[in-house]
Amino acid sequence: MILPQYDGHCGWYEALDNVSAFPELISNVRVDTVVIGGGFVGCAAVRRLAENRPDERFLLIEALKIGQGASGRNSGFVIDQPHKRDLESNDNDLKRKLVRLNRTAIDYLKTQIDQYGIDCQWSPAGKYQAAVGTRGEKFLSHYEELLKGFGETYERIPRERIKSVFGTDFYSSAIFTPGGALMQPAALMRGLADNMPDNVQIAENTAVTEITRTECGFLLKTGKSSIKCRKLILGTNIFTAELGFMRDHILPVMTFASMTKPLTDDQMKRYGGQLDWGITPADHAGTTVRMTQDRRTIIRNSYRYAHDYNTPQELLPGLGLRHRKAFDARYPQLKDVEFEYTWGGASGLSGNFETYFGQIEPGIYLSCCDQSVGAARGTVSGMMLADMACGKKSELLSDMVEVSGAPSRLPPKPLLRVGVPLRMAMARFASRSEV
C-alpha cells in the first residue's frame, strides 16, 4: 500500500510560521462519520457535517499534516470559471451551474477567512489567461468566444498594458476574468484546520490502512488505532485507489512549481510590475505564473504521470532548471533572483474528463477526479457530500450531481506508463513557444 509522503520542499508550506499540531490518533474511538483526507474536500466536508449536526462528533483524519498534501501544493488559484473541457460544452445551463457551484465555494471559504481572521493572502484578484505567440493567441481567442457564449464578464488586455501589470512584455495578449480569488494554499488549509467547530476532532500523521464493513457501519485501522463509524467521506485524491475505490479510473498527474525568494527593493524596481496576480496559460501545456503579495514569483510547468503518487526527489533539480529558463525568458532583468523551493503537486484526472461525486457504496461518499481545479471544486464537493450524507437536499446538491459523471476505465498501467509520458512529451513539444 502506497501512503502519502512529505518531501520537505513545498514552498507554500515551508514558508509558514508556527504551524500548529494535531496529535496522531493512538486510541480507539467511535464517531458518527469519519472524513479521510484533510484537503479541500475533507476540510469542507467535516465542517459542513459539524454545521448540519452540531450534536454529533466527527473525525477528520490526515496521513500527513494538513497543508502538506495536494491542497497545499497548488498555485493558489480559486477559479470560478468552468474548467477548459467543461467550458467547451455547448450546454450553457450546465456551465452556469458550474459557475454557481464554484462561486458558492469561494463564498464559503471567504466567510471562514473573515470570521476567523485566517492570514492566507486571500485576494479577490481574479485571474489572467495569457498568450505568448501565434499558437497561444489562437487558444486565447477561442477562450474569449467561449466566455462570450455564456455571458461571462471578461476584459481583453492589450499588449501595451501588459508590462505595467506583469513587469514583462513577454506576453502578446491576455484576458482577465474577475470572479476568482488568489491565496496562499498551505496557509489557507492550516487556517481552516485551526478553526474547526468544537465537535470536530482532527488527527494528523494518521494513515488509514484498512477499511472493513461491519453490521453497524465501518471499522477503520490505522497504525496505532481503530475507529468505528457509521459513515465515511473520502477526500483522498489520487490515493483513493489505495483504499480500494475507483481503481483504474483515476489518472494521477503531477505538475511542478518553483518559488523564488522574496524580491528585494532593488529587484522590485527592476521588476516594475504589480503584486498579487496570477496567470494561467492560454495553451494548456504552457506555464502558470503567480506574483504573490509578499513579492515571491511562482513558475509552474512540466507534467508527469505520477504512477507512484509521490514526488521523485531526483527529478527536482532538472525541473528547477526548466523553471529557471521560463523565469529568465520573462524577466531577463531579474536573473539574480534566486529560486528557494521546487516541488510537485498531484491532481486526479479521468480518461473522459468526467469528475466523480456521490455515494460510491452504501455509507461511503466520495469526490475525485477534480481535473486540476481542486480548490473550488473540492470545497463545494466536500460541502455537498456532507449534505448528501446527512440527507439534506438542495438545489446546489442537485446541480452537483448533474455536473458530475462517471470517469471511464483507464488502460492497463503498463500501457499508461508508456502512453501518458509520450503524450505529455508531444504536448510539451507542441507548446514549446508558450512555455
Side-chain angles (χ1 to χ4, degrees):
M1 184 178 194
I2 302 175
L3 297 175
Q5 300 173 8
Y6 181 63
D7 54 20
H9 291 289
C10 178
W12 294 121
Y13 190 87
E14 295 302 310
L16 298 178
D17 294 323
N18 303 317
V19 176
S20 58
F22 297 96
E24 180 183 0
L25 192 64
I26 59 174
S27 59
N28 299 336
V29 298
R30 180 191 295 270
V31 296
D32 179 82
T33 304
V34 171
V35 178
I36 305 176
F40 287 113
V41 173
C43 282
V46 78
R47 179 179 298 277
R48 188 78 158 194
L49 287 170
E51 293 169 346
N52 287 344
R53 295 184 174 173
D55 295 329
E56 295 181 2
R57 290 180 57 226
F58 303 99
L59 175 63
L60 175 64
I61 297 178
E62 168 56 44
L64 304 172
K65 287 181 68 67
I66 290 174
Q68 290 181 339
S71 292
R73 290 172 167 264
N74 58 77
S75 296
F77 294 85
V78 193
I79 298 173
D80 64 329
Q81 296 294 329
H83 190 52
K84 291 181 176 70
R85 302 289 178 177
D86 291 320
L87 194 60
E88 291 173 347
S89 167
N90 293 321
D91 188 342
N92 284 337
D93 185 55
L94 182 72
K95 287 186 277 192
R96 292 187 186 100
K97 289 177 179 178
L98 285 163
V99 170
R100 183 163 63 245
L101 288 163
N102 290 340
R103 289 176 181 165
T104 297
I106 292 171
D107 291 343
Y108 194 63
L109 291 171
K110 182 64 164 56
T111 296
Q112 294 164 64
I113 290 164
D114 290 344
Q115 181 176 352
Y116 302 114
I118 298 173
D119 182 9
C120 63
Q121 299 185 36
W122 180 273
S123 171
K127 177 181 74 71
Y128 293 90
Q129 190 167 118
V132 176
T134 302
R135 178 181 168 87
E137 288 280 1
K138 290 180 181 178
F139 283 109
L140 197 66
S141 294
H142 179 55
Y143 178 53
E144 182 175 17
E145 291 303 312
L146 293 172
L147 291 173
K148 283 181 183 177
F150 76 115
E152 278 296 292
T153 299
Y154 73 94
E155 180 185 4
R156 186 91 182 216
I157 309 298
R159 185 165 199 152
E160 55 268 22
R161 283 178 50 199
I162 283 177
K163 188 170 185 178
S164 65
V165 179
F166 307 134
T168 178
D169 55 9
F170 184 78
Y171 297 100
S172 58
S173 184
I175 286 175
F176 174 72
T177 50
L182 300 175
M183 47 78 180
Q184 207 277 39
L188 173 58
M189 299 315 302
R190 292 308 308 180
L192 296 175
D194 289 340
N195 293 283
M196 282 293 175
D198 292 340
N199 56 334
V200 172
Q201 177 185 353
I202 297 177
E204 293 183 318
N205 298 313
T206 303
V208 174
T209 56
E210 184 180 338
I211 299 173
T212 304
R213 188 177 290 275
T214 68
E215 289 184 1
C216 300
F218 302 95
L219 176 66
L220 312 183
K221 294 289 187 179
T222 74
K224 299 179 182 178
S225 67
S226 64
I227 307 144
K228 292 180 179 179
C229 62
R230 288 196 311 114
K231 295 180 181 179
L232 279 174
I233 292 179
L234 304 183
T236 41
N237 194 32
I238 61 174
F239 290 93
T240 301
E242 293 299 300
L243 295 175
F245 304 97
M246 297 296 289
R247 284 178 174 161
D248 302 321
H249 289 81
I250 303 173
L251 181 67
V253 172
M254 186 169 290
T255 185
F256 297 88
S258 289
M259 174 187 285
T260 70
K261 292 183 176 180
L263 271 61
T264 65
D265 289 345
D266 175 65
Q267 289 166 343
M268 281 297 298
K269 289 178 182 177
R270 284 184 274 138
Y271 162 60
Q274 301 175 9
L275 295 176
D276 196 27
W277 50 260
I279 291 173
T280 59
D283 187 338
H284 303 182
T287 296
T288 296
V289 186
R290 275 285 313 277
M291 175 59 80
T292 67
Q293 294 177 11
D294 58 352
R295 299 184 174 187
R296 295 178 182 268
T297 302
I298 293 93
I299 298 288
R300 187 188 74 177
N301 60 38
S302 305
Y303 295 85
R304 174 181 179 267
Y305 169 46
H307 59 88
D308 46 6
Y309 299 152
N310 293 295
T311 308
Q313 300 304 290
E314 66 273 12
L315 297 181
L316 295 182
L319 291 161
L321 292 175
R322 189 176 291 173
H323 297 152
R324 179 85 249 177
K325 182 178 179 181
F327 180 86
D328 288 348
R330 288 158 175 80
Y331 300 106
Q333 75 275 31
L334 296 175
K335 291 190 175 182
D336 58 328
V337 173
E338 297 180 33
F339 281 171
E340 192 168 12
Y341 303 102
T342 298
W343 70 92
S347 62
L349 309 182
S350 64
N352 58 351
F353 306 103
E354 293 284 355
T355 58
Y356 182 84
F357 170 90
Q359 185 171 206
I360 193 163
E361 288 185 9
I364 302 179
Y365 302 84
L366 167 66
S367 174
C368 66
C369 298
D370 59 27
Q371 311 299 322
S372 299
V373 286
R377 176 79 183 200
T379 296
V380 74
S381 294
M383 295 167 63
M384 294 301 102
L385 284 178
D387 284 0
M388 180 179 280
C390 293
K392 183 178 178 181
K393 297 180 180 180
S394 68
E395 185 178 347
L396 281 174
L397 177 54
S398 296
D399 287 350
M400 193 77 228
V401 172
E402 184 177 341
V403 303
S404 305
S408 59
R409 180 176 292 275
L410 297 168
K413 287 186 178 180
L415 292 180
L416 289 175
R417 293 188 67 167
V418 174
V420 176
L422 179 60
R423 183 170 179 178
M424 289 178 176
M426 292 170 63
R428 185 168 62 247
F429 178 79
S431 305
R432 62 195 182 280
S433 63
E434 296 289 317
V435 175

